[in-house]
Amino acid sequence: MKAASTISVRDGHAIVKAGEFIEARFGAGTSPSLAARKTLALLIAKAAGEAWRPGSHIIAKRELRGTHNANDRIQDTLDELMDVKFQMPSTSAQGRAATLTAALLAWTLNEHAEDGRATVEWEFTAPARAILQGSDYYARLNRAALLAFRSKYAITLYEMGCLLAGRRNPTWSGTVDELRERLGTPSNSMPNFSDFRRLVLTPGKAEIDQLAAFTMDWLEKRGARGKITHVTITFTPKDDDATNAAADEAERHSTGRRSRREGTADTMVDAASLIAVAATRMSVSDTLRWPADDRVDEFKTPELYAIGQTLGGGHAVQRLADQYVRVLKDRRRQLVGDALKADWTKWVTGCSAKWGRT
DNA sequence: GATTCATTCTTGCTAAGCTA
DNA sequence: TAGCTTAGCAAGAATGAATC
């Protein structure tokens, strides 16, 4: 543990995590949030070579809150981590195969102060310390890349990749249920593999291919009735240029990262311009159709729908519709103002004619 | 081999909530 | 506030097993 953590202390860009923790499954019913997964990695990195010792560790709140400028979410994340349990193969006192289930954190102490010196104190549980002490294989995670991920499942896939990418056989194979347990996917969500692929594997691959020093691919194996039963994930190391590009991207601001990944930054500007032009063509009578709850459905024109489909399907349509509503609201205010101004001018003109005054 | 039926997948969409 | 992720729903398509 000491030898492994020396790496992270030396360069400051790496987080060293015991292989057992990466290969452990999350306890039944637990699916840590994105913030919780990042915070856990930071706590392990902070404890470094002393993590296995009994006793507390301390980290400054400013190190935990990331780019968010307040500490208001730290307590919620700590509460969530207190409920996180991990499971791994073990043996019972009788020497028989068993499953070990244990919590990670024994307790946390969150200072009420909000200044720059405010800290969080915590202690790992005895089972967690035993794993850290006895582990002889580790994954070296890139701190910037880890903090840049936006999908909670991408983080766990990235940790798996860091553990496997340098090996002779950098693959993980297992059933769909085993993969769901490894990633901490709630058992009652995404019952169809198509949803699991669309919301877990595809976004995870997109982020890993952009931010990690390796790429991710997977193969699906079908069983009876065409149902997908097994998955094999392969993590392939990138060459030097691609690795440097990934490191640069991880250091850049997150704004525009998805656009850079998908190459859609320019088309979004054009779409917004088209919406603004379409909105200015509204008549006064159009504003009378404005629904009380501002729902966009009645304003989803075929042109808007076509633009959204071109840019990326349902989500793009929704974003454009939201933008369309904002433009329409501005247009409505302008139209109402113009109508009032016209009425006022007409009334004043009538008064002048009637009473002979200006 | 054709048909029926049940299951699963694909696609499109919406809503809630989180983050910068 | 805008952009995004996560999650769920619905309709239709695709697939495989059972039956005739």
Side-chain angles (χ1 to χ4, degrees), chain A residues 70-325:
Chain A
N71 297 326
D72 54 344
R73 293 169 190 160
I74 289 180
Q75 186 60 55
D76 291 342
T77 304
L78 292 175
D79 291 344
E80 190 180 351
L81 282 177
M82 287 294 292
D83 290 334
V84 170
K85 296 177 179 60
F86 64 92
Q87 293 181 326
M88 56 191 309
S90 185
T91 52
S92 67
Q94 288 76 28
R96 298 158 73 175
T99 298
L100 170 69
T101 303
L104 278 168
L105 303 182
W107 53 264
T108 62
L109 189 66
N110 182 15
E111 285 188 354
H112 293 171
E114 299 290 328
D115 57 46
R117 294 180 300 157
T119 62
V120 169
E121 199 172 341
W122 81 97
E123 183 175 358
F124 291 110
T125 61
R129 291 200 309 270
I131 291 170
L132 289 167
Q133 185 176 15
S135 181
D136 57 359
Y137 68 112
Y138 297 86
R140 187 168 180 266
L141 318 177
N142 182 294
R143 177 189 289 265
L146 187 105
L147 298 179
F149 284 112
R150 298 293 299 272
S151 162
K152 62 179 182 179
Y153 301 118
I155 283 190
T156 307
L157 285 166
Y158 172 69
E159 291 180 349
M160 289 170 64
C162 288
L163 193 64
L164 296 170
R167 295 186 181 179
R168 188 173 300 168
N169 181 27
T171 61
W172 179 94
S173 292
T175 65
V176 172
D177 288 341
E178 288 170 346
L179 182 58
R180 291 171 65 95
E181 287 178 349
R182 284 290 299 273
L183 300 180
T185 311
S187 56
N188 58 346
S189 70
M190 295 176 275
N192 290 338
F193 186 83
S194 59
D195 280 340
F196 182 77
R197 179 199 294 123
R198 182 166 57 106
L199 302 171
V200 176
L201 294 178
T202 302
K205 172 180 168 53
E207 287 207 275
I208 286 173
D209 287 358
Q210 185 183 29
L211 297 167
F214 48 84
T215 60
M216 172 190 146
D217 294 286
W218 74 88
L219 291 173
E220 301 164 3
K221 182 181 176 184
R222 293 176 184 270
R225 292 180 177 272
K227 183 180 182 180
I228 294 166
T229 57
H230 290 74
V231 179
T232 298
I233 303 176
T234 303
F235 300 98
T236 307
K238 293 178 178 174
D239 59 29
D240 289 347
D241 289 343
T243 300
N244 290 336
D248 290 344
E249 180 59 47
E251 297 285 351
R252 295 177 72 180
H253 194 279
S254 62
T255 302
R257 179 168 292 141
R258 188 179 182 186
S259 299
R260 291 192 290 274
R261 185 163 68 224
E262 300 176 351
T264 57
D266 52 348
T267 52
M268 289 173 66
V269 173
D270 290 339
S273 301
L274 286 171
I275 289 170
V277 170
T280 58
R281 292 177 184 164
M282 282 182 68
S283 66
V284 176
S285 61
D286 289 336
T287 65
L288 299 177
R289 297 193 297 115
W290 190 273
D293 59 358
D294 282 346
R295 287 185 60 81
V296 301
D297 297 21
E298 297 178 27
F299 293 90
K300 199 182 293 177
T301 66
E303 293 79 8
L304 177 66
Y305 186 84
I307 294 168
Q309 289 295 334
T310 304
L311 292 178
H315 288 88
V317 170
Q318 180 192 350
R319 286 197 291 275
L320 291 180
D322 290 346
Q323 199 171 357
Y324 194 50
V325 164

